[in-house]
Amino acid sequence: MATRVAQRRERIYVDGEWIETDDTLSVTDLADGGTFAQIAAAGPTEARTALAAAHEIKPELRETTVVERATWCESIAEGLREREEELAEVIVREAGKPISSARGEVASAAERFDRAAEEARNIVSKGEFREGSTSGHEGWNAIVKHEPIGAVLCITPYNYPLATTALQVAPALAAGNSVLLKPASKTPVSSAILADVIDDVDGIPDGAFNFVPGEASEIGDVLSGDDRVNAIAMTGSSGAGKHVARESGMVNLHMELGGNAPAVVFDDADLTDVAGNCVKGSLKYAGQRCSAVSRVVANESVHDDLVDQIDTQMDAWEAGDLFDENTAFGPLISEDQAEWVQELVDDAVEKGADLVRGGERRAPEGVPDELGDQFFEPTLLANVPQDARIVDEEQFGPVAAVTTFEDDEEAVEIANGSDLALDAAVFTSDYDRAMEMADRIDAGAVRINGAPSHGLGDIPFGGNKDSGIGREGLDASIHEMMRKKSIIL
């Protein structure tokens, strides 16, 4: 286990200045217990100061070149890599991730800044020249160019506190926008380090990046409801997203919200491969991922065999010391989240599901008592009835819930029965069936013979229905954060 550094004290960052406030956020240490950081909490006054700074710098940012902005992003990427070990330890402690996953998150965040620089160069090099083609526009010539959208409010989640932040902040800066970053109140420390890295980069004007941690109840509506914000990039729950959408008014909304990904398994699938994908898809980061496999929808003829194989492969997934390279996963983010997972599991069992393994909160040896109730056992539910809440609601826990279907029509009906439609997977050896199901399943992305994964964002991802608005990704996000201007010659 790593030796914890002295308790951190972080400040907010507004208009190029580090600012202390009267209120603070306490950040729980999910590795050793206790509090490992205190961070200044912005209130309405600080939020409005940040809004003013982000608004006032827009004209200056619009005059910057893509070469300048790409250089900023590359310098930020370098700065993150230089602080990899510090950032990895912070992510372990604030988010409860195993050290191997935390290091991977730092690498992903750095690469996203590098790739944002590339995408910005690519976009501006592909402006359009058009000729008028309708009556009355004969002889018209026009240039269509990209320009920054303005100020972007980035609202980031706890589950990928640095990588998802990079996926929002990097394209926003690369496009020439000012940024207001509101991180999740449970995991703001990695974002504070990002702010420090950005502060060290030469050339970024004051006000271009503002870091405003704080309780959503105090500053959320102040930020999202201000008409000086031109776009909102958000990753979070569907409920929180809907609230922000109601408050925001006429801005570009770029939201990746809740997920409840079905893995639809046909009788001709390779069940060993299916089991491996579903176990990893359900248990990675204790299931606290929007793209997690939340429900396995299996043809009734292979249900029992698949459950046996999933059960066997779950043996390799054990919680433990988060600084041990072999630890598979750690605690849930809070006791409230553990209680939510317990509620969904209990509901499924009460309605007739078979509890094959797990189903309880249980901590590994050596875990501080105060964190014990945040560990949830890897859980396998079989024969889950379709009226169980876990079939349709987002769980964010280490649970594989297996339900059955008789034919293709029922498989589609179950897969599309949720209000959430972010990701899905289809397992079959029949190409035509795979493509038909991918077309019919209502989801932002459908993976064939593999678990959903957003990766770096080289392939656009995002949700339908209550799972979001728009698409995220290395190129998709930067397009969302720019607007087109037609100049008629």
Side-chain angles (χ1 to χ4, degrees):
M1 181 174 289
T3 301
R4 185 168 71 187
V5 297
Q7 188 176 90
R8 302 183 68 107
R9 173 76 184 192
E10 307 290 353
R11 295 169 290 173
I12 69 175
Y13 181 73
V14 173
D15 202 14
E17 299 290 337
W18 293 97
I19 301 171
E20 286 283 3
T21 62
D22 293 334
D23 296 324
T24 59
L25 299 172
S26 296
V27 183
T28 301
D29 188 335
L30 295 182
D32 293 337
T35 298
F36 95 99
Q38 296 278 346
I39 190 161
T45 298
E46 292 79 20
R48 293 188 182 98
T49 301
L51 285 160
H55 180 67
E56 290 167 7
I57 199 63
K58 291 175 190 176
E60 182 177 339
L61 284 173
R62 189 165 282 118
E63 295 300 317
T64 60
T65 68
V66 70
V67 175
E68 290 177 281
R69 302 193 299 269
T71 300
W72 298 346
C73 288
E74 289 163 348
S75 297
I76 295 168
E78 182 181 353
L80 292 176
R81 293 187 179 103
E82 289 173 353
R83 299 177 71 168
E84 177 184 3
E85 286 305 312
E86 177 190 8
L87 279 162
E89 180 179 348
V90 163
I91 292 169
V92 169
R93 296 191 185 281
E94 69 177 351
K97 287 191 174 181
I99 185 64
S100 57
S101 296
R103 287 198 190 98
E105 180 164 345
V106 180
S108 294
E111 185 167 354
R112 280 172 167 167
F113 275 97
D114 277 336
R115 295 290 290 268
E118 295 175 16
E119 291 297 336
R121 291 189 181 102
N122 182 55
I123 287 174
V124 300
S125 68
K126 293 182 177 179
E128 302 174 44
F129 176 80
R130 294 197 177 190
E131 295 183 16
S133 59
T134 59
S135 177
H137 282 186
E138 300 95 331
W140 282 36
N141 295 308
I143 296 170
V144 183
K145 60 177 289 186
H146 291 89
E147 65 179 18
I149 197 167
V152 179
L153 170 61
C154 299
I155 303 173
T156 58
Y158 71 79
N159 57 345
Y160 286 89
L162 185 63
T164 298
T165 298
L167 188 59
Q168 296 181 6
V169 173
L173 283 177
N177 299 298
S178 57
V179 172
L180 300 117
L181 172 60
K182 161 64 178 75
S185 58
K186 289 182 171 61
T187 56
V189 184
S190 51
S191 291
I193 297 173
L194 172 63
D196 193 38
V197 169
I198 292 173
D199 184 45
D200 285 339
V201 174
D202 291 336
I204 301 179
D206 294 345
F209 178 83
N210 303 275
F211 169 61
V212 281
E215 296 290 355
S217 58
E218 291 291 320
I219 63 172
D221 290 355
V222 175
L223 292 169
S224 61
D226 195 288
D227 60 11
R228 290 170 291 187
V229 170
N230 304 101
I232 298 176
M234 176 182 177
T235 301
S237 69
S238 295
K242 289 179 179 180
H243 178 85
V244 169
R246 286 193 296 269
E247 292 294 320
S248 62
M250 294 182 65
V251 302
N252 277 26
L253 294 176
H254 185 56
M255 294 182 165
E256 194 259 293
L257 305 176
N260 185 28
V264 182
V265 183
F266 288 93
D267 55 5
D268 59 351
D270 180 336
L271 296 187
T272 300
D273 182 61
V274 172
N277 275 283
C278 289
V279 169
K280 183 177 181 180
S282 296
L283 302 186
K284 183 180 178 181
Y285 188 37
Q288 296 173 112
R289 300 179 302 120
C290 294
S291 60
V293 173
S294 300
R295 49 204 172 120
V296 181
V297 185
N299 183 276
E300 57 187 10
S301 67
V302 299
H303 171 276
D304 293 350
D305 288 343
L306 180 57
V307 167
D308 288 343
Q309 294 212 35
I310 290 175
D311 188 26
T312 298
Q313 295 205 32
M314 276 189 170
D315 289 339
W317 288 76
E318 293 185 0
D321 178 1
L322 294 176
F323 288 99
D324 185 331
E325 297 287 348
N326 297 316
T327 292
F329 68 95
L332 296 174
I333 193 68
S334 66
E335 285 190 35
D336 286 346
Q337 184 59 34
E339 290 172 1
W340 169 253
V341 176
Q342 186 76 67
E343 182 179 323
L344 292 180
V345 170
D346 289 348
D347 171 78
V349 173
E350 289 170 4
K351 289 176 177 172
D354 299 324
L355 180 62
V356 179
R357 69 186 297 155
E360 295 181 354
R361 284 182 273 179
R362 183 172 298 163
E365 292 184 9
V367 169
D369 291 342
E370 66 193 271
L371 296 176
D373 284 342
Q374 290 176 229
F375 283 83
F376 205 93
E377 297 176 297
T379 297
L380 175 58
L381 297 168
N383 292 304
V384 178
Q386 293 176 26
D387 62 345
R389 290 169 54 196
I390 203 167
V391 174
D392 293 325
E393 297 184 34
E394 185 173 42
Q395 48 167 293
F396 253 49
V399 182
V402 188
T403 190
T404 62
F405 67 88
E406 291 184 10
D407 54 31
D408 293 17
E409 292 300 321
E410 188 177 20
V412 172
E413 182 180 349
I414 296 170
N416 292 344
S418 174
D419 291 332
L420 303 174
L422 181 62
D423 290 287
V426 174
F427 292 90
T428 177
S429 60
D430 185 326
Y431 175 84
D432 291 335
R433 170 187 270 166
M435 295 304 295
E436 179 187 358
M437 293 299 294
D439 285 339
R440 296 181 66 191
I441 290 175
D442 189 358
V446 179
R447 188 176 179 192
I448 296 171
N449 293 325
S453 174
H454 297 164
L456 283 170
D458 50 329
I459 297 173
F461 63 90
N464 302 338
K465 297 197 280 191
D466 286 356
S467 287
I469 299 171
R471 294 294 180 263
E472 287 192 288
L474 296 169
D475 65 329
S477 292
I478 200 166
H479 276 93
E480 294 279 349
M481 295 175 184
M482 302 185 88
R483 63 191 181 194
K484 288 185 175 182
K485 175 177 283 184
S486 298
I487 301 174
I488 295 87
L489 306 177

